[in-house]
Amino acid sequence: MPRSKYVFWVIIVLLLFALTGCLKAGYKDLEPDEAKKLIDENPMLLIMDVREPYEYAEARIPGSHNIPMGEVEQQLPNIDKEQEILVVCETGSRSASIAQMLVSKGYKHVYNLKGGIANWPYELEK
């Protein structure tokens, strides 16, 4: 097969993987009901709230730990790469970027709360 045809098919296969989600970010977005189930079933789960302290003080998921977005990398030596981690923020945007960063650093069990605290229909601490 000529090289140009080979390159063409490699590109097609990669595009198909990307479109079907096989090349996904490496973390999993969870709807609130999925996240609640994960929290209830795994007492060792680290719920990492990456919002600023003033946001965290207003309302938070019970049992969560506030590690502001700008401080996450400094805290990584304290977090086991095998630890299951649910990352949360206000809307799911900041937490998605932190979830991607964690995966890029070798963390294997990373979840992002889709829609963030703003989409959380369950109990919040104040």
Side-chain angles (χ1 to χ4, degrees):
M1 178 183 299
R3 180 172 162 77
S4 62
K5 281 189 178 182
Y6 177 77
V7 171
F8 171 77
W9 285 109
V10 167
I11 291 170
I12 294 299
V13 168
L14 288 174
L15 285 173
L16 287 173
F17 279 141
L19 291 174
T20 60
C22 292
L23 296 179
K24 194 172 174 178
Y27 63 88
K28 182 175 182 189
D29 284 320
L30 297 181
E31 295 291 340
D33 59 328
E34 296 172 303
K36 178 75 166 116
K37 183 177 178 185
L38 182 67
I39 291 167
D40 291 345
E41 292 177 355
N42 186 349
M44 299 305 292
L45 176 71
L46 170 60
I47 307 169
M48 180 187 296
D49 191 320
V50 298
R51 297 175 301 155
E52 293 301 313
Y54 73 90
E55 296 172 286
Y56 182 78
E58 290 175 9
R60 61 196 166 274
I61 295 174
S64 63
H65 299 276
N66 185 219
I67 305 175
M69 189 174 187
E71 298 175 19
V72 171
E73 282 204 66
Q74 298 163 352
Q75 295 299 320
L76 293 183
N78 303 321
I79 303 170
D80 184 346
K81 290 191 177 185
E82 296 296 326
Q83 172 77 48
E84 282 193 282
I85 304 169
L86 173 63
V87 189
V88 302
C89 70
E90 187 65 30
T91 63
S93 177
R94 287 177 282 180
S95 56
S97 66
I98 293 298
Q100 179 57 49
M101 184 268 293
L102 290 170
V103 168
S104 75
K105 300 276 187 189
Y107 290 82
K108 296 177 174 68
H109 310 287
V110 182
Y111 307 93
N112 176 51
L113 177 59
K114 190 174 180 182
I117 296 290
N119 196 36
W120 186 253
Y122 304 103
E123 175 189 5
L124 291 171
E125 292 179 338
K126 297 189 185 229

